[in-house]
Amino acid sequence: MSVIIRPIRKSDNSNVARMIRAVFVEFDAPTEGTIFTDKTTDTLFELFQEKNAALWIAEKDSEIVGCCGIFPTVGLPEKCTELVKFYVSNSVRGTGIGRQLMQKSEEFAIKLGYSEIYIESLPAFGNAVRIYKKNGYSLLDHPLGNSGHFGCDIWMVKSLITNT
C-alpha cells in the first residue's frame, strides 16, 4: 500500500472536511460543540497557516484517508501544543497510517520546541483513546486551553521530553 504523508493543500479542504465528518457519522459521535460543526473544518488549509501549526494529510491512490496535526490552541500552558484533527478513514484503519500521522505531528511539535502535547476526544472514539493511552497520553480531569469544542469530555496530555 503506497501512502503519501504530506502537508495540507488548499485544494484538500473539502475532501478533508468530508472525511472527518464521515468518521463522526460512522461512530455516531456527537456533533455539537465538536469539529463536526466547527466552521473552520471547511477551511483547514487556511486555519493551519497559523504560526507553529501544521496539518498532515495521508493520501492513498489520490484519496485523502487521514489527517493529524498540531495547533497552538489559545490558553494552553507554555510549551504545550494540541494534537488536532486526528482522523483516519475506515478503509485504512489498522494499517499504521494513524501511527505515522501521530508520529509526524509529535516530531514536528518537538522540532518547534514543545515539551507537551494535549488532545481532546469523545467516548464515541474509545478505540482512539486506547491508542492515545498506548502511545503515552495520560487522562486529565479537566480541559486545557480554549479549543471551543465544549462537546469533548475526554482530555489527555503527553510529555514529549524523553529521558535518554
Side-chain angles (χ1 to χ4, degrees):
M1 168 178 25
S2 178
V3 175
I4 298 167
I5 307 261
R6 60 169 175 78
I8 190 171
R9 300 177 188 141
K10 186 172 179 65
S11 59
D12 295 329
N13 275 344
S14 62
N15 290 328
V16 173
R18 188 177 312 111
M19 187 267 307
I20 289 170
R21 289 184 175 117
V23 171
F24 271 77
V25 170
E26 175 188 355
F27 286 94
D28 196 26
T31 57
E32 290 303 313
T34 68
I35 185 176
F36 191 93
T37 54
D38 188 329
K39 63 183 178 176
T40 64
T41 300
D42 294 303
T43 55
L44 291 175
F45 172 81
E46 290 79 3
L47 178 67
F48 282 87
Q49 298 311 298
E50 176 97 14
K51 183 180 180 189
N52 294 336
L55 185 65
W56 308 102
I57 301 299
E59 185 180 324
K60 178 184 174 225
D61 301 327
S62 300
E63 178 187 351
I64 292 173
V65 294
C67 60
C68 184
I70 62 164
F71 194 83
T73 301
V74 173
L76 287 178
E78 189 177 345
K79 298 292 184 183
C80 183
T81 191
E82 186 174 1
L83 187 79
V84 294
K85 317 303 187 234
F86 187 22
Y87 298 94
V88 179
S89 174
N90 65 358
S91 66
V92 295
R93 267 186 225 123
T95 65
I97 290 173
R99 184 174 58 254
Q100 289 176 50
L101 285 165
M102 183 188 287
Q103 281 180 310
K104 184 88 166 167
S105 297
E106 289 178 354
E107 288 167 2
F108 190 68
I110 291 167
K111 182 179 173 184
L112 291 176
Y114 289 107
S115 57
E116 285 187 315
I117 194 160
Y118 168 75
I119 190 166
E120 297 180 335
S121 194
L122 304 160
F125 300 133
N127 286 340
V129 172
R130 281 190 286 285
I131 290 168
Y132 303 144
K133 287 179 182 177
K134 183 178 173 185
N135 284 281
Y137 287 78
S138 302
L139 287 169
L140 298 170
D141 60 4
H142 61 279
L144 300 178
N146 304 312
S147 73
H149 296 150
F150 61 84
C152 294
D153 58 1
I154 295 175
W155 313 285
M156 303 179 85
V157 69
K158 175 182 179 177
S159 173
L160 295 173
I161 299 170
T162 56
N163 298 323
T164 54

